[in-house]
Amino acid sequence: MSSPCAEFRRAQPLLGTIVSISVVAPHADIARAAVSAGFEAVARVQGAMSFHDPGSDLSRIHRDAWRKPVPVGADTHRVLRAAVALSRATQGVFDCTVAPRLVAEGRLPCPDGAPRPAAGADWRAIDLSRAGHVALQAPVWIDLGGIAKGYALDAAAAALRSAGAWGFRMDAGGDLRIRMPEPEPVHVRHPTAPGCFFPVGRLRDGAVATSAPYADETGLWWGIVDPRVGARLAEVSSVSVFAARGLWADALTKIVMLAPDLSARLARRLHATAIVLRGDGAGEVCDGRLRPSARWTVRGGDNA
Amino acid sequence: MSDWRPVLLVPVAIVLPAGSHAAVYLSVEQAQKVLFPGAPLQAAPVQLTPEQKAAIEQRLGVRLRITDLKVWRAPDGAVFIVDEVIGKHEFITYAVAIRADGAVKGIEILEYRESYGYEVRHPGWRGQFVGKTTASALELDKDIRNIGGATLSCRHITEGVKRLLVTHELALR
């Protein structure tokens, strides 16, 4: 008789990072097919929401939506609806139209054939009132990077479950999506020492997203852009958010980082919890009220 | 949310002091089955000649680090190549399948390793964590499965695939 439970895992270069999917299923064939279905879902979301790909929904929005409504896929419409709802709820603290800043820094390519963003235009220019269509009241450049990554894992989770997976672990460059029979330990990288992992909690079914100004290959630190002032945050700390959906988890990391006061109500509504790790080793766990429910400081040890 | 709970309710936390982490996804044989299901692959390792190496380097504008290629061939003319890329902190082994017409058929990441050396080089930094581990079991790499907040980019893999496509065109057809 074959084994009653099979585990299979693969990793692919997707979403600008490495995406790994590990599946537990009643049979090896089911596990393999589920992993493939998961990657197909991630690739579908990437194809629709890529800033780089001239054929993506996003690129077509940048080129044409300022002069006529552009038909988009259900995924893109859903993610943009969520982005606009978050912008409204945070009065623009979360704003997916910060892309021009990333283009100016060379972090994103200049969109081909798209008009320059209108001065002063922001998320309020995005009109989603017509089902399946996006219109722009003024040209803007939209970057869905983080929340599209979170949503891609949500879409993959749905695909894995339909394909018969009993449990799974997914990792998209540090954004996690887990559904396992037993709670799994979750670690987060130290913001100034990415080779060190803090145990921050256990998760049975849900998402964890982390935002931090990690150093890149050249040693430069890339902070989170604050759309209200158009500058990057200087503070070196990381924010991890546990939430039911990857989309909310990823968006909340930025909101907690930029405006902890504003994010409290949102986090409670989304049943999310944030964990803040600071560069000096201090940290705090914030529950739905986003008031610290635990604080700690790591001090120099005797062996130092 | 009832499905998760923080463990950091005490003023301690840590860390994997070794500064290294590895994940093995597929063996070479498993990757062959994913990329060429049912097709028999024949091992056909290739040693690039100095002329081939020079031609590839000229086309890419970079120096080739490795000239012996781990190549397998499929009956339809496609090839399967196992290669490695090295970043500042990461080391990735991956496989690429290239069709006879030179198009990418698929990519699989086989193994990922990362290493950060500063904990060892800066005992003061490391010292702040020594003896502060919440549960010793957490130090075992097998328990560190779900790591949030990575720095990973797939840029090196993209560059590696481009190098292999040029190598295929100039030396493997």
Side-chain angles (χ1 to χ4, degrees):
Chain A
M1 196 183 134
S2 64
S3 162
C5 174
E7 190 164 350
F8 190 62
R9 63 192 234 165
R10 281 170 57 199
Q12 291 274 305
L14 284 166
L15 304 170
T17 184
I18 294 175
V19 177
S20 71
I21 301 180
S22 174
V23 162
V24 181
H27 189 275
D29 290 342
I30 295 173
R32 272 194 289 271
V35 169
S36 296
F39 281 124
E40 277 162 28
V42 173
R44 183 189 82 216
V45 173
Q46 170 179 284
M49 284 167 249
S50 163
F51 194 89
H52 304 74
D53 179 355
S56 70
D57 285 353
L58 204 55
S59 293
R60 291 190 299 109
I61 291 168
H62 290 154
R63 280 197 303 269
D64 298 326
W66 59 281
R67 51 191 177 92
K68 59 172 192 212
V70 168
V72 298
D75 292 318
T76 308
H77 207 264
R78 195 171 296 146
V79 171
L80 279 171
R81 278 203 309 272
V84 168
L86 286 165
S87 296
R88 189 172 294 122
T90 61
Q91 296 149 37
V93 167
F94 180 90
D95 188 347
C96 61
T97 63
V98 294
R101 161 105 196 170
L102 303 171
V103 172
E105 290 174 346
R107 306 286 287 170
L108 285 175
C110 195
D112 213 15
R116 304 288 308 176
D122 59 15
W123 61 275
R124 284 168 289 204
I126 304 171
D127 177 0
L128 301 166
S129 52
R130 188 170 158 197
H133 287 73
V134 178
L136 296 177
Q137 283 155 11
V140 290
W141 291 349
I142 300 165
D143 173 29
L144 294 174
I147 58 170
K149 190 161 78 165
Y151 178 78
L153 294 189
D154 294 336
L160 294 181
R161 289 168 68 173
S162 316
W166 275 345
F168 52 79
R169 292 183 205 102
M170 289 188 276
D171 180 343
D175 275 8
L176 310 175
R177 187 76 169 76
I178 295 168
R179 182 182 165 89
M180 292 296 280
E182 295 293 323
E184 294 262 315
V186 172
H187 292 71
V188 169
R189 287 172 193 275
H190 190 284
T192 57
C196 289
F197 313 133
F198 279 76
V200 291
R202 302 178 85 82
L203 182 65
R204 198 192 66 77
D205 182 8
V208 190
T210 300
S211 284
Y214 292 114
D216 71 6
E217 290 259 318
T218 62
L220 281 174
W221 289 84
W222 294 97
I224 308 297
V225 173
D226 186 339
R228 293 166 299 179
V229 292
R232 289 183 178 274
L233 289 185
E235 194 189 353
V236 181
S237 60
S238 77
V239 174
S240 300
V241 172
F242 285 68
R245 290 171 56 190
L247 190 159
W248 300 128
D250 196 284
L252 274 170
T253 59
K254 274 92 179 180
I255 298 166
V256 170
M257 202 167 254
L258 295 168
D261 46 325
L262 270 174
S263 52
R265 215 161 46 139
L266 257 183
R268 190 164 60 236
R269 225 167 71 196
L270 300 173
H271 305 286
T273 301
I275 288 166
V276 182
L277 295 177
R278 303 200 190 284
D280 59 6
E284 58 197 39
V285 178
C286 305
D287 61 14
R289 294 180 302 279
L290 279 191
R291 255 187 8 227
S293 57
R295 284 179 198 270
W296 72 93
T297 307
V298 179
R299 275 184 234 92
D302 297 339
N303 319 42
Chain B
M1 196 166 86
S2 59
D3 274 333
W4 90 277
R5 58 179 198 274
V7 293
L8 283 177
L9 296 173
V10 285
V12 279
I14 298 315
V15 237
L16 183 73
S20 68
H21 173 68
V24 179
Y25 297 103
L26 297 175
S27 66
V28 169
E29 197 187 8
Q30 286 171 322
Q32 290 174 340
K33 280 184 184 154
V34 168
L35 290 167
F36 293 92
L41 293 184
Q42 199 71 47
V46 170
Q47 175 73 52
L48 295 176
T49 65
E51 294 75 29
Q52 287 170 330
K53 178 173 182 283
I56 294 163
E57 286 178 341
Q58 196 191 353
R59 174 81 72 86
L60 289 169
V62 294
R63 298 251 309 152
L64 279 193
R65 201 169 47 83
I66 296 168
T67 54
D68 51 331
L69 301 167
K70 295 172 193 156
V71 179
W72 285 257
R73 289 185 183 276
D76 64 355
V79 297
F80 173 95
I81 310 172
V82 172
D83 186 47
E84 296 157 355
V85 286
I86 300 172
K88 195 173 173 192
H89 298 292
E90 75 270 20
F91 187 94
I92 301 164
T93 309
Y94 67 105
V96 182
I98 302 174
R99 292 199 184 96
D101 64 3
V104 173
K105 177 182 162 79
I107 302 167
E108 289 295 326
I109 294 164
L110 306 184
E111 190 175 346
Y112 165 78
R113 271 181 284 151
E114 66 177 23
S115 144
Y116 295 88
Y118 45 73
E119 294 88 354
V120 182
R121 288 200 304 274
H122 301 288
W125 195 95
R126 182 180 174 168
Q128 66 185 326
F129 300 115
V130 170
K132 308 270 188 192
T133 309
T134 42
S136 57
L138 288 171
E139 283 192 52
L140 299 172
D141 199 40
K142 70 179 172 60
D143 284 328
I144 316 254
R145 277 187 298 230
N146 308 299
I147 303 164
T151 55
L152 276 185
S153 141
C154 62
R155 186 167 59 86
H156 291 299
I157 299 172
T158 310
E159 287 166 1
V161 171
K162 188 177 158 201
R163 168 168 49 77
L164 291 180
L165 284 173
V166 170
T167 304
H168 177 262
E169 184 192 330
L170 296 179
L172 298 181
R173 282 225 233 223

